Amino acid sequence: MALVAPSILSADFSALGEAIDFLDKEAVDYIHIDVMDGLYVPNLTFGPPVIRSIRSRTEIPFDVHLMIDRPEHSVDQYIAAGADRITFHTDATIHSHRLVYAIKEAGVRAGISLNPGQSPESIRYLLDDLDLILVMSVNPGFGGQKFIESSVEKVREIRKMLRGRDVEIMVDGGVNEHTGKRLVEAGARSLVAGSYIFGHEDPSSAIRALRSL
């Protein structure tokens, strides 16, 4: 079964607490939180205060995706706010290896996010130190974008590169029951879905559809 990580980027921000309560009731595997700073990507979203405010509503792990410039300057704030897993982009920081270890030393699982234009080869020498790899199947910054088809082959390539390492492959962007099926077959373990879940006429059935893959 696929692990399901609904992205609250697509939730109703005016009722964010209720959205968290719904995901808690559905017992999803992770709650995916997209953090954007308006610099690394042209959008602004959640910060540590929002994460801290919803942390008390659920014990489901928070999967925090930092789409921010120089994440090493603020990663401690996201950890303190309640992040259980943190991914960041290698082109947003100078010393990726150092930041991976700083996150792990704080007791949080660490991962790298790969943009559509980035090759898996760019993280080959980090593979032994990662807990997860987040493959972006859309360009980061906004929800509801069209799935980039080459992402399936990228997942397959990463799975081969891992050579049995216990590293979770997660995919984010344009995920639904159809694209999700192909991604899981290629080697993905967990699926991030925002519009597909929160825009569905029956969000619970959307979660079940992904989980059954």
Side-chain angles (χ1 to χ4, degrees):
M1 295 173 65
L3 302 178
V4 180
S7 171
I8 59 173
L9 181 63
S10 297
D12 180 354
F13 287 5
S14 69
L16 194 54
E18 288 85 344
I20 299 298
D21 293 344
F22 164 72
L23 297 177
D24 186 75
K25 182 180 178 181
E26 292 292 322
V28 298
D29 299 286
Y30 309 113
I31 293 175
H32 187 79
I33 303 174
D34 289 303
V35 175
M36 307 180 194
D37 64 356
L39 295 173
Y40 183 75
V41 292
N43 198 3
L44 285 167
T45 57
F46 311 103
V50 174
I51 296 173
R52 188 177 298 109
S53 70
I54 60 176
R55 178 69 281 180
S56 62
R57 300 187 78 118
T58 182
E59 294 184 0
I60 292 173
F62 280 2
D63 181 65
V64 177
H65 176 194
L66 297 181
M67 287 178 269
I68 63 177
D69 193 46
R70 296 295 184 262
E72 65 274 16
H73 294 164
S74 57
V75 69
D76 289 346
Q77 297 177 47
Y78 293 97
I79 293 172
D84 297 283
R85 296 148 50 98
I86 291 179
T87 57
F88 64 91
H89 293 260
T90 56
D91 57 358
T93 186
I94 297 174
H95 298 292
S96 297
H97 188 272
R98 177 183 296 167
L99 184 52
V100 165
Y101 265 84
I103 294 170
K104 295 178 73 166
E105 286 174 358
V108 173
R109 296 175 71 79
I112 295 293
S113 304
L114 283 176
N115 289 329
Q118 287 182 292
S119 167
E121 283 294 329
S122 65
I123 61 169
R124 178 177 290 277
Y125 294 102
L126 288 171
L127 294 180
D128 286 334
D129 305 301
L130 299 178
D131 296 305
L132 67 148
I133 298 169
L134 175 60
V135 176
M136 294 300 299
S137 44
V138 298
N139 284 293
F142 297 93
Q145 298 182 62
K146 184 179 178 181
F147 180 78
I148 296 174
E149 290 294 329
S150 59
S151 305
V152 177
E153 183 55 37
K154 181 179 284 189
V155 169
R156 189 173 289 113
E157 182 179 347
I158 293 171
R159 177 55 62 198
K160 291 179 181 177
M161 284 177 57
L162 288 174
R163 298 171 65 92
R165 293 179 179 89
D166 184 21
V167 179
E168 179 182 331
I169 301 176
M170 173 179 263
V171 184
D172 180 5
V175 171
N176 55 42
E177 59 185 307
H178 305 295
T179 56
K181 182 176 187 296
R182 295 162 56 208
L183 291 165
V184 170
E185 289 172 347
R189 180 75 180 99
S190 51
L191 303 172
V192 177
S195 301
Y196 175 65
I197 292 174
F198 288 105
H200 200 284
E201 60 181 12
D202 183 356
S204 295
S205 70
I207 292 172
R208 290 194 299 271
L210 293 178
R211 185 172 279 148
S212 67
L213 298 177

